[in-house]
Short mmCIF file of all heavy atoms in Angstrom, two decimals:
data_model
loop_
_atom_site.label_atom_id
_atom_site.label_comp_id
_atom_site.label_asym_id
_atom_site.label_seq_id
_atom_site.Cartn_x
_atom_site.Cartn_y
_atom_site.Cartn_z
N PRO A 1 94.15 123.69 117.81
CA PRO A 1 94.12 122.50 116.96
C PRO A 1 92.70 121.93 116.92
O PRO A 1 91.99 121.95 117.93
CB PRO A 1 95.07 121.53 117.67
CG PRO A 1 95.10 121.98 119.09
CD PRO A 1 94.82 123.46 119.09
N ILE A 2 92.30 121.48 115.75
CA ILE A 2 90.99 120.81 115.63
C ILE A 2 91.23 119.35 116.01
O ILE A 2 91.88 118.59 115.27
CB ILE A 2 90.42 120.96 114.21
CG1 ILE A 2 90.21 122.45 113.93
CG2 ILE A 2 89.13 120.18 114.07
CD1 ILE A 2 89.85 122.78 112.50
N LEU A 3 90.75 118.97 117.19
CA LEU A 3 91.02 117.62 117.69
C LEU A 3 90.20 116.60 116.90
O LEU A 3 89.00 116.80 116.69
CB LEU A 3 90.68 117.54 119.19
CG LEU A 3 91.43 118.50 120.11
CD1 LEU A 3 91.01 118.29 121.55
CD2 LEU A 3 92.94 118.34 119.98
N PRO A 4 90.84 115.50 116.48
CA PRO A 4 90.15 114.52 115.64
C PRO A 4 89.32 113.56 116.49
O PRO A 4 89.54 112.34 116.50
CB PRO A 4 91.32 113.79 114.96
CG PRO A 4 92.41 113.83 115.99
CD PRO A 4 92.24 115.13 116.74
N LEU A 5 88.35 114.11 117.21
CA LEU A 5 87.59 113.32 118.18
C LEU A 5 86.89 112.13 117.53
O LEU A 5 86.79 111.06 118.12
CB LEU A 5 86.53 114.20 118.86
CG LEU A 5 87.07 115.42 119.61
CD1 LEU A 5 85.92 116.26 120.14
CD2 LEU A 5 87.97 115.00 120.75
N LEU A 6 86.41 112.33 116.31
CA LEU A 6 85.62 111.28 115.67
C LEU A 6 86.31 110.74 114.41
O LEU A 6 85.71 110.02 113.64
CB LEU A 6 84.23 111.82 115.32
CG LEU A 6 83.48 112.43 116.51
CD1 LEU A 6 82.19 113.09 116.07
CD2 LEU A 6 83.20 111.38 117.58
N GLU A 7 87.60 111.08 114.26
CA GLU A 7 88.33 110.66 113.05
C GLU A 7 89.37 109.57 113.33
O GLU A 7 89.85 108.92 112.42
CB GLU A 7 89.05 111.85 112.40
CG GLU A 7 88.13 112.76 111.59
CD GLU A 7 87.36 113.72 112.47
OE1 GLU A 7 88.00 114.41 113.27
OE2 GLU A 7 86.12 113.76 112.37
N LEU A 8 89.76 109.42 114.60
CA LEU A 8 90.76 108.40 114.92
C LEU A 8 90.13 107.01 114.80
O LEU A 8 88.91 106.87 114.90
CB LEU A 8 91.27 108.59 116.36
CG LEU A 8 92.03 109.89 116.65
CD1 LEU A 8 92.29 110.01 118.15
CD2 LEU A 8 93.34 109.94 115.89
N ASP A 9 90.98 105.98 114.56
CA ASP A 9 90.41 104.62 114.55
C ASP A 9 89.94 104.30 115.97
O ASP A 9 90.39 104.91 116.95
CB ASP A 9 91.45 103.61 114.06
CG ASP A 9 92.66 103.53 114.96
OD1 ASP A 9 92.54 102.95 116.06
OD2 ASP A 9 93.72 104.07 114.59
N LEU A 10 89.04 103.33 116.08
CA LEU A 10 88.36 103.08 117.35
C LEU A 10 89.33 102.75 118.48
O LEU A 10 89.14 103.17 119.62
CB LEU A 10 87.34 101.95 117.18
CG LEU A 10 86.20 101.91 118.20
CD1 LEU A 10 85.51 103.26 118.35
CD2 LEU A 10 85.20 100.84 117.83
N LEU A 11 90.40 102.06 118.15
CA LEU A 11 91.39 101.68 119.17
C LEU A 11 92.03 102.90 119.82
O LEU A 11 92.36 102.90 121.00
CB LEU A 11 92.47 100.80 118.51
CG LEU A 11 93.45 100.11 119.45
CD1 LEU A 11 92.73 99.09 120.33
CD2 LEU A 11 94.56 99.43 118.67
N ASN A 12 92.22 103.97 119.03
CA ASN A 12 92.86 105.18 119.54
C ASN A 12 91.88 106.29 119.90
O ASN A 12 92.28 107.41 120.19
CB ASN A 12 93.87 105.71 118.50
CG ASN A 12 95.08 104.81 118.41
OD1 ASN A 12 95.77 104.59 119.40
ND2 ASN A 12 95.33 104.25 117.24
N THR A 13 90.57 105.97 119.87
CA THR A 13 89.57 106.95 120.26
C THR A 13 89.46 106.95 121.78
O THR A 13 88.52 106.45 122.38
CB THR A 13 88.21 106.63 119.57
OG1 THR A 13 88.43 106.62 118.16
CG2 THR A 13 87.16 107.68 119.87
N THR A 14 90.52 107.48 122.39
CA THR A 14 90.67 107.51 123.85
C THR A 14 91.34 108.83 124.23
O THR A 14 91.88 109.53 123.36
CB THR A 14 91.58 106.36 124.33
OG1 THR A 14 92.87 106.52 123.71
CG2 THR A 14 91.02 104.99 123.98
N VAL A 15 91.35 109.13 125.52
CA VAL A 15 92.08 110.31 126.00
C VAL A 15 93.55 110.18 125.64
O VAL A 15 94.18 111.12 125.17
CB VAL A 15 91.89 110.47 127.53
CG1 VAL A 15 92.77 111.58 128.07
CG2 VAL A 15 90.43 110.74 127.87
N GLY A 16 94.11 108.97 125.83
CA GLY A 16 95.52 108.73 125.50
C GLY A 16 95.81 108.89 124.02
O GLY A 16 96.85 109.44 123.63
N GLY A 17 94.89 108.45 123.17
CA GLY A 17 95.06 108.60 121.72
C GLY A 17 95.07 110.05 121.31
O GLY A 17 95.87 110.48 120.46
N LEU A 18 94.20 110.85 121.92
CA LEU A 18 94.17 112.29 121.62
C LEU A 18 95.43 112.97 122.12
O LEU A 18 95.97 113.87 121.47
CB LEU A 18 92.94 112.93 122.27
CG LEU A 18 91.59 112.58 121.63
CD1 LEU A 18 90.44 113.07 122.50
CD2 LEU A 18 91.47 113.18 120.23
N GLN A 19 95.92 112.55 123.29
CA GLN A 19 97.16 113.14 123.83
C GLN A 19 98.34 112.87 122.89
O GLN A 19 99.15 113.77 122.65
CB GLN A 19 97.43 112.58 125.23
CG GLN A 19 98.69 113.11 125.88
CD GLN A 19 99.94 112.30 125.50
OE1 GLN A 19 99.89 111.07 125.45
NE2 GLN A 19 101.04 112.98 125.24
N LYS A 20 98.42 111.68 122.35
CA LYS A 20 99.52 111.37 121.42
C LYS A 20 99.41 112.25 120.17
O LYS A 20 100.43 112.71 119.63
CB LYS A 20 99.46 109.89 121.02
CG LYS A 20 99.96 108.98 122.14
CD LYS A 20 99.78 107.51 121.78
CE LYS A 20 100.16 106.64 122.98
NZ LYS A 20 99.55 105.31 122.90
N TYR A 21 98.18 112.49 119.72
CA TYR A 21 97.95 113.35 118.56
C TYR A 21 98.44 114.77 118.84
O TYR A 21 99.17 115.35 118.03
CB TYR A 21 96.46 113.33 118.21
CG TYR A 21 96.08 114.26 117.08
CD1 TYR A 21 96.08 113.81 115.76
CD2 TYR A 21 95.72 115.59 117.32
CE1 TYR A 21 95.73 114.66 114.71
CE2 TYR A 21 95.38 116.44 116.28
CZ TYR A 21 95.38 115.97 114.98
OH TYR A 21 95.05 116.81 113.95
N VAL A 22 98.07 115.33 120.00
CA VAL A 22 98.46 116.72 120.27
C VAL A 22 99.97 116.84 120.53
O VAL A 22 100.58 117.86 120.19
CB VAL A 22 97.65 117.37 121.43
CG1 VAL A 22 96.18 117.41 121.11
CG2 VAL A 22 97.89 116.69 122.75
N ASN A 23 100.56 115.79 121.07
CA ASN A 23 102.01 115.83 121.27
C ASN A 23 102.74 115.89 119.92
O ASN A 23 103.70 116.65 119.76
CB ASN A 23 102.48 114.63 122.08
CG ASN A 23 103.92 114.76 122.52
OD1 ASN A 23 104.30 115.73 123.17
ND2 ASN A 23 104.77 113.82 122.12
N LYS A 24 102.25 115.12 118.96
CA LYS A 24 102.83 115.17 117.60
C LYS A 24 102.61 116.53 116.96
O LYS A 24 103.45 117.03 116.22
CB LYS A 24 102.23 114.06 116.73
CG LYS A 24 102.77 112.68 117.08
CD LYS A 24 102.08 111.59 116.26
CE LYS A 24 102.54 110.22 116.72
NZ LYS A 24 101.62 109.15 116.27
N PHE A 25 101.46 117.12 117.25
CA PHE A 25 101.14 118.47 116.75
C PHE A 25 102.13 119.49 117.32
O PHE A 25 102.68 120.31 116.58
CB PHE A 25 99.70 118.83 117.15
CG PHE A 25 99.31 120.25 116.82
CD1 PHE A 25 99.12 120.64 115.50
CD2 PHE A 25 99.11 121.19 117.83
CE1 PHE A 25 98.75 121.95 115.19
CE2 PHE A 25 98.75 122.49 117.54
CZ PHE A 25 98.56 122.87 116.21
N PHE A 26 102.40 119.43 118.62
CA PHE A 26 103.37 120.34 119.25
C PHE A 26 104.75 120.15 118.64
O PHE A 26 105.47 121.13 118.40
CB PHE A 26 103.44 120.10 120.76
CG PHE A 26 102.23 120.58 121.53
CD1 PHE A 26 102.07 120.24 122.86
CD2 PHE A 26 101.26 121.37 120.94
CE1 PHE A 26 100.97 120.68 123.59
CE2 PHE A 26 100.16 121.82 121.65
CZ PHE A 26 100.02 121.47 122.98
N GLU A 27 105.12 118.90 118.40
CA GLU A 27 106.44 118.62 117.80
C GLU A 27 106.51 119.15 116.37
O GLU A 27 107.51 119.74 115.97
CB GLU A 27 106.71 117.10 117.82
CG GLU A 27 107.01 116.56 119.21
CD GLU A 27 107.12 115.04 119.24
OE1 GLU A 27 106.77 114.38 118.22
OE2 GLU A 27 107.56 114.51 120.28
N LYS A 28 105.44 118.94 115.62
CA LYS A 28 105.41 119.36 114.21
C LYS A 28 105.58 120.88 114.08
O LYS A 28 106.32 121.36 113.22
CB LYS A 28 104.08 118.93 113.57
CG LYS A 28 103.98 119.18 112.08
CD LYS A 28 104.79 118.15 111.31
CE LYS A 28 104.72 118.37 109.83
NZ LYS A 28 105.66 117.52 109.09
N LEU A 29 104.89 121.62 114.96
CA LEU A 29 104.98 123.09 114.91
C LEU A 29 106.11 123.63 115.80
O LEU A 29 106.33 124.83 115.85
CB LEU A 29 103.65 123.72 115.34
CG LEU A 29 102.65 124.00 114.20
CD1 LEU A 29 102.18 122.71 113.54
CD2 LEU A 29 101.45 124.77 114.71
N ASP A 30 106.80 122.71 116.48
CA ASP A 30 107.89 123.06 117.40
C ASP A 30 107.44 124.14 118.39
O ASP A 30 108.08 125.17 118.56
CB ASP A 30 109.14 123.51 116.63
CG ASP A 30 110.38 123.54 117.55
OD1 ASP A 30 110.39 122.79 118.54
OD2 ASP A 30 111.30 124.33 117.27
N LEU A 31 106.34 123.86 119.06
CA LEU A 31 105.79 124.81 120.03
C LEU A 31 106.43 124.60 121.39
O LEU A 31 106.52 123.48 121.87
CB LEU A 31 104.27 124.64 120.13
CG LEU A 31 103.48 124.84 118.84
CD1 LEU A 31 102.00 124.60 119.07
CD2 LEU A 31 103.70 126.23 118.25
#
């Protein structure tokens, strides 16, 4: 996955914000 390191809003530009993004990615592709 191309992690949106510089695309998230500033509030979610955190390790936790990225983790939530990848969890949704796993759910979306049902990995």
Side-chain angles (χ1 to χ4, degrees):
I2 298 171
L3 301 181
L5 301 176
L6 306 173
E7 282 80 53
L8 296 172
D9 63 74
L10 203 50
L11 191 65
N12 289 302
T13 302
T14 60
V15 173
L18 289 170
Q19 179 273 318
K20 285 175 186 158
Y21 176 91
V22 299
N23 190 57
K24 285 176 185 163
F25 174 71
F26 288 170
E27 287 174 349
K28 186 76 180 171
L29 269 64
D30 194 26
L31 301 178

